[in-house]
Amino acid sequence: MALIVQKFGGSSVGDADKIKHVAKRVIETQKAGNQVVVVVSAMGDTTDELMDLANQVTDNPSPRELDMLLTAGERISMALLALAINAAGAQSRSFTGSQAGIVTDSKHGNARIAEVTPDRIREALDEGDIAIVAGFQGFNRETRDITTLGRGGSDTTAVALAAALNADVCEIYSDVDGVYTADPRQIPAARKLDYIDVESMLELAAAGAKILHIRAVEFARRHNVDLRVRSTFSTDPGTRVISGNRGENMEESVVSGVATDKSQTKIIVVGIPDLPGKAAELFNIVAEAGANIDMIVQNTATGVDVDDKVSDISFTLPKGDSAKVVAALEANQAKIGYRELEVDHEIGKISVVGAGMRTHSGVSATLFNALAKAGINIEMISTSEIRISVVTDITEADDAARAIHTAFGLDSEIEAVVYAGTGR
Ligand code: ADP
Ligand code: ASP
Ligand code: MG
């Protein structure tokens, strides 16, 4: 008997009919002779709506209470799915994250899973039940409080449970047929991938492709979980996330996909003295403010005398972190000795990712030519071994992504299907 973990995202459980449809699929999996653990997200855009409500009652919600509020979303869908499964004649039981043994650190809003002790899940499975678990949540032993794993974190709940239960496969069900060469909502010519190597998937997730939560991919890599992305609304086998390359007979593609991220801000620190230790001073302050920075670019110093030489340092960070970083930098202006700060929220980051970049030259030339031909100005560039990212004005980001997708020959003749969801 195989053990399968199936995770259904918000759009898959968006209303009562969809929940009944999921119930049917889950029962079929069990009837095919498997033990089934189901992880669910909150219905539709519930998490965003709860967040909006919190923001209507306060400008500064306490992280503890926000987690209490947001975890309610997943409790609604887990119970409704259990009711639907039981009404359809099978046996199921739902569990909150803490009942399922998801133990995390105490960082509200973005907690990391420290340990998984799924005793109650095993008991339920041993008794022939389908176990349903609320995604996105856990609890901390020291504070005894409920935590959340960060937006999109139900994927991570599923993979963590699959690892702890030594499941045969972890299937992530969403509103598209699998991992595509780009977000099919943004680029309908995107092509579904049958396989993607785990390194490229990590880079795509980090670059803003929200089809998989990055920590779910990290977990799968570390614990060798057989991870697949599929659609709730079709029978397409989806995409397998695999370690290494795809075996002897298949050539590694140069580029796996393109991702767009419009959630970042660019800060330019203008006129920093060109002296050893200044970058360290600057980024210590940014780190103390608690921000995760992404791209960093330092311009060549300008100025006539050695003593007068100044340079500019630009970096990007999540929009939500920018206010606290700006405040921290302003408080330290005299100490660092910079002239001024420029803050630009209207940026888009486009990344092209592919394991084959390690061995192929000319990838950056193709990318820059594509943007030049489209008349799009590049504001920043950064690269890793298997990724190139550029920052453009936010109004040009979609055009840039499309131009790059076409230039790398990723366009498909068949239009991608998006089955449900609002893309929020
Ligand atoms: P769920 O609610 O099922 O977790 P998400 O909204 O978190 O679903 O993720 C699915 C969405 O991810 C898709 O509807 C699609 O718009 C978006 N997406 C972004 N990049 C990609 C990609 N490369 N392949 C597939 N989907 C992508
Ligand atoms: N409901 C949570 C969110 O919207 C978690 C998830 O869907 O994975 O972020
Ligand atoms: Mg998701």
Side-chain angles (χ1 to χ4, degrees):
M1 195 184 264
L3 199 167
I4 302 185
V5 176
Q6 301 187 320
K7 177 255 168 178
F8 292 88
S11 50
S12 303
V13 292
D15 57 36
D17 283 337
K18 291 203 173 80
I19 289 175
K20 286 195 220 165
H21 171 74
V22 167
K24 222 173 102 207
R25 266 197 102 132
V26 169
I27 294 170
E28 276 165 17
T29 309
Q30 190 194 41
K31 284 211 171 120
N34 304 294
Q35 291 188 309
V36 192
V37 176
V38 182
V39 173
V40 283
S41 291
M43 294 171 70
D45 293 332
T46 299
T47 309
D48 289 298
E49 287 157 13
L50 291 172
M51 193 79 101
D52 290 348
L53 273 174
N55 289 328
Q56 281 171 43
V57 295
T58 169
D59 291 336
N60 192 15
S62 115
R64 179 187 186 275
E65 300 311 326
L66 202 54
D67 276 356
M68 281 300 215
L69 176 70
L70 297 186
T71 49
E74 270 69 12
R75 287 183 67 152
I76 292 171
S77 39
M78 75 176 195
L80 284 172
L81 181 59
L83 291 169
I85 289 175
N86 297 347
Q91 257 173 247
S92 73
R93 234 181 293 172
S94 67
F95 299 92
T96 64
S98 47
Q99 287 176 320
I102 309 286
V103 181
T104 72
D105 65 15
S106 59
K107 195 160 182 280
H108 285 296
N110 199 19
R112 284 188 162 265
I113 296 178
E115 195 188 335
V116 184
T117 49
D119 309 347
R120 296 194 65 184
I121 306 301
R122 275 198 201 287
E123 275 168 32
L125 293 175
D126 289 345
E127 287 165 25
D129 281 9
I130 294 167
I132 302 169
V133 179
F136 173 60
Q137 53 183 273
F139 81 105
N140 177 260
R141 282 220 175 93
E142 283 72 45
T143 61
R144 289 174 295 167
D145 277 330
I146 302 292
T147 54
T148 58
L149 309 180
R151 297 306 305 270
S154 296
D155 298 342
T156 301
T157 305
V159 180
L161 273 172
L165 293 164
N166 207 5
D168 295 276
V169 55
C170 180
E171 298 180 323
I172 306 291
Y173 283 88
S174 188
D175 50 13
V176 290
D177 277 328
V179 180
Y180 281 73
T181 51
D183 185 343
R185 280 178 209 276
Q186 183 196 15
I187 303 185
R191 191 172 341 127
K192 198 207 85 185
L193 300 166
D194 294 332
Y195 298 91
I196 185 164
D197 63 280
V198 71
E199 305 297 331
S200 298
M201 192 61 241
L202 276 173
E203 289 276 2
L204 278 179
K210 71 167 182 165
I211 183 72
L212 280 177
H213 196 227
I214 184 162
R215 273 160 39 210
V217 188
E218 282 168 357
F219 234 104
R221 178 174 62 172
R222 207 168 336 120
H223 298 276
N224 269 320
V225 175
D226 182 350
L227 180 61
R228 298 165 194 227
V229 180
R230 304 185 57 179
S231 167
T232 307
F233 307 100
S234 79
T235 52
D236 193 293
T239 304
R240 272 188 80 170
V241 181
I242 51 162
S243 307
N245 61 29
R246 294 166 236 177
E248 304 110 47
N249 300 328
M250 281 187 244
E251 203 183 323
E252 198 171 56
S253 56
V254 182
V255 167
S256 300
V258 177
T260 308
D261 183 356
K262 295 180 188 166
S263 68
Q264 300 237 320
T265 291
K266 178 175 73 171
I267 295 180
I268 311 177
V269 189
V270 181
I272 304 176
D274 187 33
L275 298 169
K278 281 293 162 189
E281 230 171 67
L282 172 69
F283 288 111
N284 281 337
I285 290 162
V286 174
E288 270 164 35
N292 276 328
I293 52 165
D294 182 23
M295 294 165 113
I296 303 175
V297 172
Q298 173 169 348
N299 296 352
T300 313
T302 53
V304 191
D305 298 325
V306 180
D307 293 344
D308 297 338
K309 280 202 166 181
V310 290
S311 64
D312 302 339
I313 294 182
S314 326
F315 57 93
T316 61
L317 74 176
K319 271 196 180 94
D321 285 346
S322 59
K324 61 185 180 191
V325 167
V326 168
L329 289 176
E330 280 173 353
N332 286 282
Q333 181 167 14
K335 186 173 164 224
I336 307 172
Y338 67 85
R339 204 174 67 232
E340 61 177 344
L341 288 183
E342 284 173 21
V343 181
D344 185 357
H345 296 297
E346 304 295 306
I347 62 162
K349 185 178 81 174
I350 304 99
S351 304
V352 38
V353 170
M357 281 189 198
R358 283 198 185 94
T359 47
H360 285 76
S361 55
V363 176
S364 31
T366 305
L367 187 149
F368 299 138
N369 284 330
L371 294 180
K373 222 171 96 191
I376 293 166
N377 188 42
I378 302 171
E379 298 178 12
M380 289 170 99
I381 300 170
S382 82
T383 62
S384 84
E385 217 185 342
I386 62 167
R387 174 186 51 81
I388 306 175
S389 302
V390 293
V391 167
T392 67
D393 190 87
I394 199 161
T395 56
E396 294 188 314
D398 286 349
D399 287 343
R402 267 190 294 271
I404 293 169
H405 195 265
T406 305
F408 283 101
L410 299 175
D411 287 358
S412 152
E413 272 108 64
I414 314 159
E415 201 169 293
V417 186
V418 178
Y419 297 93
T422 61
R424 187 171 174 186

